[in-house]
Amino acid sequence: MLKNKKIGFIGSGAMAEALIDGILKANLVTPSQIIVNDISQNRLDHMTGKFGVLTTLSIKDTVKAADILFLTVKPQIINGVLDAIAPLLSPTTLVVSIAAGITIGILESKLVRIPIVRVMPNTPVAVGEGMSVLALGHYAGEENGELVLTIFSSVGRAIIMDENAMDAVTGLSGSGPGYVFVLIDALTDAGVRVGLSRQNSLVMAAQTLLGAAKMVLETGEHPAKLRDMVTSPGGTAIAGIHVLEQKGVRAALIDAVQAATKRSQEMGKKSHG
């Protein structure tokens, strides 16, 4: 699928690094098929040293070489990047943007009649367990979607949704690692409170969340059914769950996702204004 494709990256930050790592580990392409552009020579030297990919300070060279062009830059500078690449793009170049809050409408207003895929990944792509949601632009076909899905599946799980779901996606999976880190930190404190060392407590808390998440994904069972398997009559787990329900943990998590979704909507309106 990606055999003869050249993949370009404009911006070589953490997300670009994670994606390149995943793409190469999955043997989707060879290092010589990847070209990375950045304004920092230090970053480019790091990418060459780590992955053996091609690097350049020239946006023009990157755009001209790429069949698939990733925009892995901060939203604040995306407009300047779009202005720079617009006159250089071939109509067949597939553009993939991970700039948060930058809609397909904004991208298509600058990159006319170009196939565009907007992606909202989350930070665990850095360890190959990301959750990425793709939305296809008006000129991106099914084949384009499958191509980008394959790339993001190399660093976790990926699904295609309508763009109007992106604020909700940001509220749940985009911001979600933040909520989970709070849970891990709190469970670690709890372990210390009941006499465990902080180091052991942290490993137990993090691995417990990882294992529970894996059970949900791999068994396909409803979380409530899996919870019922842990809660024996009059046992320890149900005593703990009773307290969680009493303290409104479930409602607090729902409220957190709602608040993050609302904030994403507000930020989107600001970027349009």
Side-chain angles (χ1 to χ4, degrees):
M1 192 186 262
L2 289 159
K3 201 176 173 193
N4 303 312
K5 305 278 188 196
K6 270 261 185 174
I7 303 176
F9 285 85
I10 295 180
S12 66
M15 198 59 79
E17 192 168 336
L19 279 170
I20 292 167
D21 194 35
I23 288 167
L24 293 175
K25 277 180 181 160
N27 294 316
L28 297 179
V29 296
T30 62
S32 63
Q33 287 172 262
I34 295 175
I35 182 165
V36 182
N37 161 259
D38 202 286
I39 55 168
S40 162
Q41 186 62 54
N42 283 348
R43 277 303 294 172
L44 295 180
D45 292 345
H46 168 73
M47 300 301 262
T48 306
K50 185 171 180 182
F51 301 117
V53 295
L54 307 172
T55 59
T56 176
L57 291 164
S58 163
I59 276 194
K60 186 177 181 180
D61 290 351
T62 311
V63 175
K64 290 292 182 193
D67 299 298
I68 304 167
L69 185 66
F70 278 84
L71 307 182
T72 42
V73 294
K74 296 270 187 271
Q76 302 89 288
I77 66 162
I78 192 85
N79 276 325
V81 169
L82 295 175
D83 289 338
I85 69 172
L88 306 169
L89 282 170
S90 149
T92 57
T93 307
L94 172 59
V95 174
V96 183
S97 169
I98 62 158
I102 305 300
T103 64
I104 288 168
I106 292 171
L107 297 166
E108 288 184 341
S109 70
K110 301 255 190 181
L111 310 180
V112 182
R113 303 184 76 81
I114 296 288
I116 291 168
V117 178
R118 178 187 172 191
V119 186
M120 172 46 118
N122 64 10
T123 54
V125 299
V127 291
E129 290 294 351
M131 180 69 234
S132 304
V133 177
L134 288 57
L136 307 187
H138 295 95
Y139 302 98
E142 204 176 302
E143 197 180 313
N144 297 138
E146 289 302 318
L147 211 58
V148 181
L149 208 55
T150 300
I151 290 169
F152 279 91
S153 296
S154 73
V155 287
R157 288 175 186 252
I159 55 176
I160 297 175
M161 295 177 73
D162 286 337
E163 193 189 20
N164 60 17
M166 277 299 187
D167 290 317
V169 168
T170 304
L172 179 55
S173 64
S175 308
Y179 319 146
V180 178
F181 296 140
V182 171
L183 291 175
I184 291 171
D185 196 29
L187 287 169
T188 302
D189 279 351
V192 174
R193 179 74 182 84
V194 294
L196 301 172
S197 75
R198 183 161 293 278
Q199 192 180 3
N200 286 342
S201 193
L202 177 59
V203 171
M204 289 162 69
Q207 180 61 35
T208 299
L209 263 76
L210 176 65
K214 202 167 181 185
M215 278 186 81
V216 170
L217 291 170
E218 292 192 4
T219 64
E221 296 286 5
H222 193 285
K225 186 175 178 184
L226 295 170
R227 181 201 61 209
D228 289 349
M229 286 161 59
V230 186
T231 49
S232 51
T236 57
I238 194 65
I241 288 167
H242 178 211
V243 176
L244 292 178
E245 296 292 5
Q246 224 170 24
K247 301 285 186 186
V249 170
R250 180 191 296 263
L253 287 168
I254 293 170
D255 288 350
V257 173
Q258 273 190 309
T261 301
K262 188 179 173 204
R263 181 70 188 125
S264 178
Q265 289 163 344
E266 288 166 359
M267 287 166 74
K269 282 184 191 131
K270 206 178 286 179
S271 73
H272 289 150

